[in-house]
Amino acid sequence: HNMHVELLKLIGRMKYRTSYGQNLLNHSMEVAYLAGIMAAEIGVDVDLAKRAAILHDIGKCVEKETAPHALIGYELAKKYKEKYTVCNAIGAHHEDIEMETPIAVLIQAADSISGARPGARRESLENYVKRLQKLEEIAQSFEGVAKTFAIQAGREIRVIVEPDAIDDFTADEISVNVAKKIELEMEYPGQ
């Protein structure tokens, strides 16, 4: 793809780097896939969007990071004669510089989608336990609820009600209200 050999070496390093528990190369490939789809939808250069996406985190592969990785990547891309559109997308994906092209916006969006999807990033055990406890507390806060269980890593919550106090209609209302309260009080991927 007529990419400078030094950039190719840095892309190779991505295989051995992680960011928030995500493999950097896999993340960049996912961002490229998403950016390509979005570029095709809005009618901009798909190959250029994919190229910018593959390179968007290249600054994380430099041994000594002295500045934000987006700016390091921007400087590297300029140094190795990447098109201005690619350089701008790299530098702007965390708003370190101003976005000047539609591709820059696509890269930022695709990067956010990749990082926010369920399972993309590791969560600390402490945060995980707190999140599950919070889910159970929300459901437990309703009158007539006997016991709650957050299961499947918090993707589902089982609510057991007191059968003598709650009829089927009220149980249905409780389930709707629990869902609404979770949406209001908690942060979750795909919000």
Side-chain angles (χ1 to χ4, degrees), residues 143-146 160-168 170-171 174:
E143 193 173 322
V145 173
I160 299 170
V161 296
E162 297 168 2
D164 298 337
I166 305 295
D167 62 11
D168 289 347
T170 309
I174 288 173

Side-chain angles (χ1 to χ4, degrees), residues 8-21:
L8 289 174
K9 286 179 186 177
L10 291 172
I11 290 172
R13 285 185 187 178
M14 286 181 173
K15 183 174 181 174
Y16 304 101
R17 308 271 171 139
T18 60
S19 180
Y20 300 100

Side-chain angles (χ1 to χ4, degrees), residues 42-86:
I42 65 169
V44 298
D45 189 332
V46 172
D47 291 334
L48 207 56
K50 287 181 176 182
R51 187 177 187 105
I54 283 290
L55 293 171
H56 85 281
D57 275 343
I58 204 77
K60 290 183 177 180
C61 296
V62 174
E63 291 304 317
K64 294 179 183 175
E65 290 187 35
T66 56
H69 75 272
L71 293 179
I72 293 170
Y74 172 76
E75 293 299 328
L76 282 168
K78 272 183 21 180
K79 178 180 176 182
Y80 295 120
K81 311 257 187 292
E82 284 294 320
K83 289 185 178 178
Y84 182 75
T85 302
V86 172

